[in-house]
Amino acid sequence: MNVDELLLKQHKSIQLNLQISEEEYNQIIQGFQSESDAEKWKIYFNNDYLFFQRKKSKNLIYALESIRIGKNYFFKDLWVNADERENEHPDKIDVNYEKQIVTYLIKSKLLKKKGAAFPYPDNLDEMDKKIYFHGVAGDEGDGLKDTDNDFLDYD
């Protein structure tokens, strides 16, 4: 699916303003695909867009357009699939939380940063956090606290 197909569907556009270096950009465009059945995401780059697709359902959940300015790259807008047939809770899209999830996926899956902070919703106990993490992120991440808070900047 390309971004035109996503934009024809119900979606929510969120201003992201995520700045990355050229080195990080070169890592990100390699994408992420795991053979593990436990993995939840396929992330790929095509025609200046970064796509986040749920591995099992093949539903496209997020898209980001990349823009180059000088030696830096930016992801200005985040498109979130708001089609209730493909996104479990389209009526509960939380702008800040969606930014945090996408930032986590970029850090942990694409840039392979150890200790990327997984954003949990409020009011989850420890067992619920483990279940939630597995359902959203899969098994190929640690969900630990972020030790590198300054490498991705967004407003």
Side-chain angles (χ1 to χ4, degrees):
M1 176 180 294
N2 61 37
V3 76
D4 296 329
E5 292 176 62
L6 176 62
L7 294 177
L8 290 173
K9 294 179 173 218
Q10 292 179 322
H11 72 280
K12 180 170 182 107
S13 182
I14 299 170
Q15 188 173 7
L16 187 62
N17 294 329
L18 182 66
Q19 179 180 341
I20 56 173
S21 69
E22 185 173 11
E23 180 182 338
E24 292 165 338
Y25 178 82
N26 288 330
Q27 282 182 267
I28 288 170
I29 64 173
Q30 300 305 310
F32 172 82
Q33 186 166 351
S34 172
E35 298 301 319
S36 169
D37 290 338
E39 182 52 53
K40 305 299 181 191
W41 294 97
K42 174 184 177 185
I43 306 171
Y44 59 97
F45 192 84
N46 188 17
N47 295 328
D48 296 326
Y49 285 89
L50 185 62
F51 297 99
F52 297 76
Q53 182 180 48
R54 293 300 275 182
K55 187 176 172 187
K56 186 175 182 180
S57 68
K58 309 253 188 284
N59 292 336
L60 182 61
I61 303 299
Y62 302 116
L64 297 168
E65 181 180 16
S66 66
I67 300 167
R68 183 178 183 163
I69 301 174
K71 290 188 176 185
N72 290 308
Y73 290 83
F74 296 85
F75 291 112
K76 291 300 229 182
D77 295 304
L78 166 64
W79 289 278
V80 180
N81 186 337
D83 186 328
E84 64 186 26
R85 294 166 298 177
E86 297 181 6
N87 189 343
E88 292 179 28
H89 305 287
D91 56 328
K92 296 180 182 178
I93 292 175
D94 177 321
V95 170
N96 289 324
Y97 188 72
E98 300 299 340
K99 287 180 180 183
Q100 291 171 0
I101 286 288
V102 166
T103 300
Y104 168 80
L105 292 171
I106 290 171
K107 285 181 176 184
S108 67
K109 308 293 184 192
L110 298 171
L111 296 175
K112 310 223 184 306
K113 295 280 185 178
K114 294 292 183 191
F118 182 79
Y120 292 101
D122 296 332
N123 304 323
L124 291 179
D125 64 29
E126 288 306 308
M127 180 55 81
D128 288 342
K129 284 183 178 180
K130 289 179 183 178
I131 294 167
Y132 186 81
F133 177 81
H134 175 72
V136 173
D139 284 341
E140 295 187 17
D142 57 23
L144 300 174
K145 298 250 184 233
D146 191 2
T147 57
D148 187 12
N149 291 320
D150 61 338
F151 94 107
L152 285 178
D153 300 317
Y154 62 84
D155 298 334

